[in-house]
Amino acid sequence: MMAIHIICTDQTEAKKIIHLLIGERLIWNATVMESTGYTRKRGPGKINETQQVLITAKTKSLLFQPINHRLRETYGDQMPVLYALPIVYMDPEQADQLLQRTLKT
């Protein structure tokens, strides 16, 4: 099992992504958080500040590639940032729910 992080630009886009992935049973649930992102620009001491929305969702590890493919298919060159973190421990009842509510692999 894993937690995926998807970073997009606004709440509207986040809701579209969540509805797409939950609707196709690729994720079990999702949480949305707004934050400020910082990246280094070229040149000394230059930092770029942007508003971003972080979606965190739980899913099965085997569903990462279908999620990546679906987002790439939908967003093309405007692909949101996507990466995964392993879930090492999880309540057994919640783990069963996750397995039952996502696609069979």
Side-chain angles (χ1 to χ4, degrees):
M1 284 174 239
M2 66 180 180
I4 59 169
H5 286 184
I6 303 167
I7 301 171
C8 58
T9 56
D10 60 50
Q11 287 278 349
T12 302
E13 199 62 44
K15 287 179 185 177
K16 287 179 187 177
I17 291 169
I18 290 167
H19 283 275
L20 173 71
L21 298 178
I22 286 178
E24 294 184 14
R25 297 183 65 194
L26 293 171
I27 60 173
W28 173 34
N29 65 356
T31 303
V32 176
M33 296 172 274
E34 290 188 46
S35 63
T36 304
Y38 298 91
T39 54
R40 189 176 143 218
K41 286 182 166 181
R42 292 182 187 221
K46 296 188 178 186
I47 296 176
N48 189 30
E49 181 178 310
T50 58
Q51 295 305 308
Q52 60 188 21
V53 177
L54 170 65
I55 302 167
T56 303
K58 290 189 259 335
T59 190
K60 294 184 222 172
S61 298
L62 291 173
L63 292 177
F64 183 84
Q65 289 303 327
I67 290 167
N68 187 59
H69 177 74
R70 189 66 174 102
L71 290 176
R72 180 63 66 187
E73 181 180 83
T74 303
Y75 293 96
D77 292 341
Q78 302 300 315
M79 172 80 172
V81 174
L82 170 67
Y83 59 92
L85 304 166
I87 296 175
V88 178
Y89 298 106
M90 188 173 186
D91 176 78
E93 288 180 25
Q94 292 174 2
D96 286 341
Q97 286 180 333
L98 187 153
L99 293 173
Q100 292 171 14
R101 294 182 182 176
T102 53
L103 282 177
K104 304 294 180 219
T105 52

Tab-separated table of all heavy atoms in Angstrom, residues 4-43:
chain	number	residue	atom	x	y	z
A	4	ILE	N	-0.140	8.412	-2.210
A	4	ILE	CA	0.346	9.183	-3.344
A	4	ILE	C	0.153	10.657	-3.047
A	4	ILE	O	-0.785	11.047	-2.341
A	4	ILE	CB	-0.324	8.801	-4.681
A	4	ILE	CG1	-1.838	8.998	-4.640
A	4	ILE	CG2	0.036	7.393	-5.081
A	4	ILE	CD1	-2.489	8.887	-6.003
A	5	HIS	N	1.064	11.447	-3.571
A	5	HIS	CA	0.973	12.901	-3.490
A	5	HIS	C	0.845	13.427	-4.908
A	5	HIS	O	1.641	13.060	-5.779
A	5	HIS	CB	2.204	13.498	-2.827
A	5	HIS	CG	2.255	13.281	-1.357
A	5	HIS	ND1	3.245	13.811	-0.574
A	5	HIS	CD2	1.445	12.604	-0.517
A	5	HIS	CE1	3.039	13.472	0.686
A	5	HIS	NE2	1.959	12.726	0.740
A	6	ILE	N	-0.143	14.263	-5.102
A	6	ILE	CA	-0.352	14.912	-6.385
A	6	ILE	C	-0.385	16.408	-6.109
A	6	ILE	O	-1.168	16.865	-5.270
A	6	ILE	CB	-1.679	14.468	-7.040
A	6	ILE	CG1	-1.717	12.949	-7.201
A	6	ILE	CG2	-1.874	15.183	-8.379
A	6	ILE	CD1	-3.077	12.385	-7.552
A	7	ILE	N	0.463	17.160	-6.779
A	7	ILE	CA	0.527	18.599	-6.564
A	7	ILE	C	-0.007	19.292	-7.809
A	7	ILE	O	0.500	19.093	-8.913
A	7	ILE	CB	1.962	19.064	-6.256
A	7	ILE	CG1	2.483	18.352	-5.007
A	7	ILE	CG2	2.006	20.588	-6.077
A	7	ILE	CD1	3.951	18.575	-4.736
A	8	CYS	N	-1.048	20.103	-7.614
A	8	CYS	CA	-1.642	20.850	-8.724
A	8	CYS	C	-1.765	22.323	-8.323
A	8	CYS	O	-1.317	22.712	-7.243
A	8	CYS	CB	-2.982	20.246	-9.144
A	8	CYS	SG	-4.211	20.154	-7.839
A	9	THR	N	-2.392	23.123	-9.183
A	9	THR	CA	-2.350	24.572	-8.982
A	9	THR	C	-3.537	25.162	-8.223
A	9	THR	O	-3.418	26.237	-7.663
A	9	THR	CB	-2.242	25.293	-10.332
A	9	THR	OG1	-3.332	24.873	-11.166
A	9	THR	CG2	-0.932	24.969	-11.016
A	10	ASP	N	-4.701	24.483	-8.224
A	10	ASP	CA	-5.848	25.077	-7.527
A	10	ASP	C	-6.846	24.015	-7.073
A	10	ASP	O	-6.771	22.855	-7.465
A	10	ASP	CB	-6.539	26.136	-8.401
A	10	ASP	CG	-7.069	25.586	-9.712
A	10	ASP	OD1	-7.775	24.562	-9.702
A	10	ASP	OD2	-6.773	26.187	-10.763
A	11	GLN	N	-7.775	24.437	-6.237
A	11	GLN	CA	-8.783	23.551	-5.653
A	11	GLN	C	-9.677	22.910	-6.718
A	11	GLN	O	-10.038	21.745	-6.602
A	11	GLN	CB	-9.667	24.334	-4.666
A	11	GLN	CG	-9.002	24.680	-3.377
A	11	GLN	CD	-9.026	23.526	-2.392
A	11	GLN	OE1	-9.704	22.530	-2.582
A	11	GLN	NE2	-8.255	23.663	-1.325
A	12	THR	N	-10.035	23.665	-7.742
A	12	THR	CA	-10.897	23.138	-8.798
A	12	THR	C	-10.229	21.958	-9.487
A	12	THR	O	-10.851	20.916	-9.704
A	12	THR	CB	-11.242	24.244	-9.819
A	12	THR	OG1	-11.875	25.322	-9.129
A	12	THR	CG2	-12.152	23.720	-10.908
A	13	GLU	N	-8.970	22.118	-9.830
A	13	GLU	CA	-8.224	21.035	-10.471
A	13	GLU	C	-8.088	19.846	-9.528
A	13	GLU	O	-8.205	18.690	-9.949
A	13	GLU	CB	-6.845	21.529	-10.911
A	13	GLU	CG	-6.208	20.649	-11.943
A	13	GLU	CD	-7.024	20.585	-13.232
A	13	GLU	OE1	-7.502	21.623	-13.707
A	13	GLU	OE2	-7.182	19.481	-13.760
A	14	ALA	N	-7.846	20.109	-8.259
A	14	ALA	CA	-7.726	19.034	-7.271
A	14	ALA	C	-9.018	18.210	-7.208
A	14	ALA	O	-8.979	16.982	-7.193
A	14	ALA	CB	-7.387	19.613	-5.899
A	15	LYS	N	-10.162	18.884	-7.197
A	15	LYS	CA	-11.439	18.167	-7.149
A	15	LYS	C	-11.653	17.326	-8.398
A	15	LYS	O	-12.142	16.199	-8.317
A	15	LYS	CB	-12.592	19.154	-6.963
A	15	LYS	CG	-12.654	19.739	-5.571
A	15	LYS	CD	-13.787	20.730	-5.439
A	15	LYS	CE	-13.751	21.399	-4.078
A	15	LYS	NZ	-14.790	22.408	-3.931
A	16	LYS	N	-11.272	17.841	-9.563
A	16	LYS	CA	-11.393	17.068	-10.807
A	16	LYS	C	-10.537	15.806	-10.735
A	16	LYS	O	-10.978	14.721	-11.124
A	16	LYS	CB	-10.962	17.917	-12.006
A	16	LYS	CG	-11.939	18.988	-12.390
A	16	LYS	CD	-11.401	19.779	-13.579
A	16	LYS	CE	-12.278	20.975	-13.887
A	16	LYS	NZ	-11.728	21.786	-14.984
A	17	ILE	N	-9.322	15.946	-10.259
A	17	ILE	CA	-8.406	14.805	-10.153
A	17	ILE	C	-8.970	13.772	-9.182
A	17	ILE	O	-8.980	12.567	-9.472
A	17	ILE	CB	-7.005	15.268	-9.730
A	17	ILE	CG1	-6.351	16.073	-10.861
A	17	ILE	CG2	-6.119	14.084	-9.317
A	17	ILE	CD1	-5.081	16.804	-10.467
A	18	ILE	N	-9.444	14.232	-8.038
A	18	ILE	CA	-9.998	13.313	-7.033
A	18	ILE	C	-11.211	12.581	-7.588
A	18	ILE	O	-11.321	11.354	-7.461
A	18	ILE	CB	-10.349	14.078	-5.738
A	18	ILE	CG1	-9.064	14.524	-5.042
A	18	ILE	CG2	-11.212	13.217	-4.809
A	18	ILE	CD1	-9.271	15.536	-3.947
A	19	HIS	N	-12.123	13.301	-8.219
A	19	HIS	CA	-13.318	12.649	-8.786
A	19	HIS	C	-12.927	11.632	-9.855
A	19	HIS	O	-13.514	10.543	-9.928
A	19	HIS	CB	-14.290	13.691	-9.341
A	19	HIS	CG	-15.058	14.386	-8.273
A	19	HIS	ND1	-16.214	13.879	-7.732
A	19	HIS	CD2	-14.820	15.549	-7.621
A	19	HIS	CE1	-16.669	14.704	-6.797
A	19	HIS	NE2	-15.834	15.725	-6.711
A	20	LEU	N	-11.942	11.954	-10.675
A	20	LEU	CA	-11.469	11.036	-11.709
A	20	LEU	C	-10.919	9.754	-11.086
A	20	LEU	O	-11.327	8.644	-11.454
A	20	LEU	CB	-10.386	11.716	-12.551
A	20	LEU	CG	-9.657	10.844	-13.565
A	20	LEU	CD1	-10.582	10.486	-14.724
A	20	LEU	CD2	-8.415	11.560	-14.069
A	21	LEU	N	-10.018	9.902	-10.122
A	21	LEU	CA	-9.339	8.737	-9.556
A	21	LEU	C	-10.229	7.905	-8.642
A	21	LEU	O	-10.174	6.672	-8.670
A	21	LEU	CB	-8.059	9.167	-8.843
A	21	LEU	CG	-7.003	9.832	-9.733
A	21	LEU	CD1	-5.791	10.252	-8.907
A	21	LEU	CD2	-6.598	8.932	-10.885
A	22	ILE	N	-11.071	8.552	-7.838
A	22	ILE	CA	-12.006	7.792	-7.007
A	22	ILE	C	-13.055	7.126	-7.899
A	22	ILE	O	-13.420	5.974	-7.688
A	22	ILE	CB	-12.670	8.678	-5.931
A	22	ILE	CG1	-11.661	8.995	-4.825
A	22	ILE	CG2	-13.892	7.975	-5.325
A	22	ILE	CD1	-12.178	9.893	-3.716
A	23	GLY	N	-13.517	7.849	-8.907
A	23	GLY	CA	-14.521	7.303	-9.820
A	23	GLY	C	-14.056	6.052	-10.544
A	23	GLY	O	-14.854	5.157	-10.834
A	24	GLU	N	-12.769	5.972	-10.822
A	24	GLU	CA	-12.206	4.803	-11.497
A	24	GLU	C	-11.621	3.794	-10.511
A	24	GLU	O	-10.942	2.857	-10.904
A	24	GLU	CB	-11.159	5.247	-12.521
A	24	GLU	CG	-11.782	6.041	-13.649
A	24	GLU	CD	-10.808	6.412	-14.743
A	24	GLU	OE1	-9.690	5.853	-14.797
A	24	GLU	OE2	-11.188	7.254	-15.578
A	25	ARG	N	-11.872	4.022	-9.233
A	25	ARG	CA	-11.423	3.140	-8.145
A	25	ARG	C	-9.905	2.985	-8.098
A	25	ARG	O	-9.385	1.958	-7.704
A	25	ARG	CB	-12.118	1.783	-8.231
A	25	ARG	CG	-13.624	1.896	-8.056
A	25	ARG	CD	-14.313	0.571	-8.067
A	25	ARG	NE	-13.867	-0.192	-6.898
A	25	ARG	CZ	-14.065	-1.487	-6.754
A	25	ARG	NH1	-14.682	-2.171	-7.667
A	25	ARG	NH2	-13.638	-2.107	-5.669
A	26	LEU	N	-9.198	4.029	-8.497
A	26	LEU	CA	-7.737	4.003	-8.464
A	26	LEU	C	-7.193	4.458	-7.118
A	26	LEU	O	-6.049	4.139	-6.769
A	26	LEU	CB	-7.163	4.858	-9.593
A	26	LEU	CG	-7.437	4.312	-10.996
A	26	LEU	CD1	-7.037	5.332	-12.055
A	26	LEU	CD2	-6.726	2.984	-11.217
A	27	ILE	N	-7.989	5.221	-6.376
A	27	ILE	CA	-7.627	5.610	-5.012
A	27	ILE	C	-8.817	5.325	-4.103
A	27	ILE	O	-9.956	5.229	-4.560
A	27	ILE	CB	-7.208	7.098	-4.890
A	27	ILE	CG1	-8.345	8.040	-5.311
A	27	ILE	CG2	-5.935	7.360	-5.678
A	27	ILE	CD1	-8.062	9.509	-5.070
A	28	TRP	N	-8.531	5.209	-2.811
A	28	TRP	CA	-9.589	4.930	-1.846
A	28	TRP	C	-10.178	6.230	-1.305
A	28	TRP	O	-11.379	6.413	-1.250
A	28	TRP	CB	-9.036	4.079	-0.714
A	28	TRP	CG	-9.987	3.856	0.422
A	28	TRP	CD1	-11.353	3.720	0.345
A	28	TRP	CD2	-9.666	3.729	1.786
A	28	TRP	NE1	-11.878	3.506	1.580
A	28	TRP	CE2	-10.856	3.508	2.507
A	28	TRP	CE3	-8.483	3.770	2.500
A	28	TRP	CZ2	-10.894	3.332	3.883
A	28	TRP	CZ3	-8.529	3.593	3.860
A	28	TRP	CH2	-9.724	3.368	4.537
A	29	ASN	N	-9.335	7.136	-0.879
A	29	ASN	CA	-9.802	8.407	-0.328
A	29	ASN	C	-8.742	9.469	-0.581
A	29	ASN	O	-7.651	9.154	-1.031
A	29	ASN	CB	-10.106	8.278	1.169
A	29	ASN	CG	-8.873	7.978	1.986
A	29	ASN	OD1	-7.794	7.783	1.457
A	29	ASN	ND2	-9.005	7.930	3.286
A	30	ALA	N	-9.089	10.707	-0.308
A	30	ALA	CA	-8.132	11.784	-0.570
A	30	ALA	C	-8.318	12.925	0.422
A	30	ALA	O	-9.417	13.150	0.924
A	30	ALA	CB	-8.301	12.300	-1.987
A	31	THR	N	-7.237	13.628	0.651
A	31	THR	CA	-7.223	14.827	1.484
A	31	THR	C	-6.570	15.932	0.662
A	31	THR	O	-5.601	15.680	-0.061
A	31	THR	CB	-6.391	14.590	2.761
A	31	THR	OG1	-6.925	13.478	3.450
A	31	THR	CG2	-6.395	15.806	3.667
A	32	VAL	N	-7.080	17.146	0.779
A	32	VAL	CA	-6.548	18.278	0.030
A	32	VAL	C	-6.041	19.328	1.007
A	32	VAL	O	-6.722	19.661	1.974
A	32	VAL	CB	-7.633	18.891	-0.889
A	32	VAL	CG1	-7.115	20.126	-1.596
A	32	VAL	CG2	-8.123	17.857	-1.889
A	33	MET	N	-4.841	19.851	0.724
A	33	MET	CA	-4.250	20.907	1.543
A	33	MET	C	-3.670	21.977	0.640
A	33	MET	O	-2.998	21.650	-0.343
A	33	MET	CB	-3.141	20.338	2.432
A	33	MET	CG	-3.626	19.340	3.450
A	33	MET	SD	-2.253	18.530	4.296
A	33	MET	CE	-1.935	17.194	3.143
A	34	GLU	N	-3.930	23.229	0.954
A	34	GLU	CA	-3.324	24.336	0.209
A	34	GLU	C	-2.028	24.733	0.900
A	34	GLU	O	-1.932	24.703	2.127
A	34	GLU	CB	-4.274	25.530	0.163
A	34	GLU	CG	-5.477	25.278	-0.701
A	34	GLU	CD	-6.313	26.527	-0.912
A	34	GLU	OE1	-5.730	27.584	-1.197
A	34	GLU	OE2	-7.531	26.406	-0.788
A	35	SER	N	-1.031	25.076	0.091
A	35	SER	CA	0.253	25.470	0.664
A	35	SER	C	1.001	26.391	-0.299
A	35	SER	O	0.554	26.642	-1.408
A	35	SER	CB	1.104	24.225	0.962
A	35	SER	OG	1.390	23.545	-0.237
A	36	THR	N	2.128	26.861	0.158
A	36	THR	CA	3.014	27.669	-0.667
A	36	THR	C	4.226	26.825	-1.002
A	36	THR	O	4.820	26.210	-0.120
A	36	THR	CB	3.436	28.946	0.082
A	36	THR	OG1	2.260	29.648	0.464
A	36	THR	CG2	4.305	29.828	-0.775
A	37	GLY	N	4.582	26.783	-2.280
A	37	GLY	CA	5.752	26.026	-2.713
A	37	GLY	C	6.894	26.959	-3.047
A	37	GLY	O	6.684	28.084	-3.513
A	38	TYR	N	8.091	26.493	-2.813
A	38	TYR	CA	9.285	27.288	-3.093
A	38	TYR	C	10.235	26.476	-3.964
A	38	TYR	O	10.482	25.308	-3.688
A	38	TYR	CB	10.003	27.674	-1.796
A	38	TYR	CG	9.154	28.520	-0.890
A	38	TYR	CD1	8.352	27.936	0.090
A	38	TYR	CD2	9.127	29.909	-1.024
A	38	TYR	CE1	7.555	28.709	0.916
A	38	TYR	CE2	8.335	30.687	-0.199
A	38	TYR	CZ	7.553	30.083	0.768
A	38	TYR	OH	6.763	30.851	1.573
A	39	THR	N	10.746	27.088	-5.008
A	39	THR	CA	11.762	26.462	-5.847
A	39	THR	C	12.859	27.473	-6.126
A	39	THR	O	12.616	28.686	-6.137
A	39	THR	CB	11.179	25.969	-7.190
A	39	THR	OG1	10.505	27.053	-7.838
A	39	THR	CG2	10.223	24.817	-6.991
A	40	ARG	N	14.038	26.959	-6.338
A	40	ARG	CA	15.172	27.824	-6.627
A	40	ARG	C	15.164	28.204	-8.094
A	40	ARG	O	14.996	27.370	-8.978
A	40	ARG	CB	16.468	27.088	-6.294
A	40	ARG	CG	17.664	27.963	-6.368
A	40	ARG	CD	18.900	27.222	-5.945
A	40	ARG	NE	19.954	27.712	-6.821
A	40	ARG	CZ	20.905	26.982	-7.319
A	40	ARG	NH1	20.983	25.717	-7.037
A	40	ARG	NH2	21.793	27.504	-8.120
A	41	LYS	N	15.316	29.487	-8.359
A	41	LYS	CA	15.459	29.984	-9.726
A	41	LYS	C	16.927	30.013	-10.082
A	41	LYS	O	17.794	29.911	-9.214
A	41	LYS	CB	14.904	31.408	-9.844
A	41	LYS	CG	13.421	31.530	-9.827
A	41	LYS	CD	13.077	33.003	-10.016
A	41	LYS	CE	11.647	33.219	-10.353
A	41	LYS	NZ	11.344	34.639	-10.555
A	42	ARG	N	17.194	30.214	-11.353
A	42	ARG	CA	18.592	30.370	-11.766
A	42	ARG	C	19.132	31.676	-11.206
A	42	ARG	O	18.448	32.677	-11.175
A	42	ARG	CB	18.690	30.375	-13.280
A	42	ARG	CG	18.356	29.034	-13.855
A	42	ARG	CD	18.500	29.042	-15.343
A	42	ARG	NE	18.017	27.779	-15.841
A	42	ARG	CZ	18.589	27.093	-16.790
A	42	ARG	NH1	19.665	27.569	-17.378
A	42	ARG	NH2	18.102	25.948	-17.177
A	43	GLY	N	20.340	31.611	-10.764
A	43	GLY	CA	20.974	32.799	-10.194
A	43	GLY	C	21.032	32.699	-8.689
A	43	GLY	O	20.198	32.053	-8.062
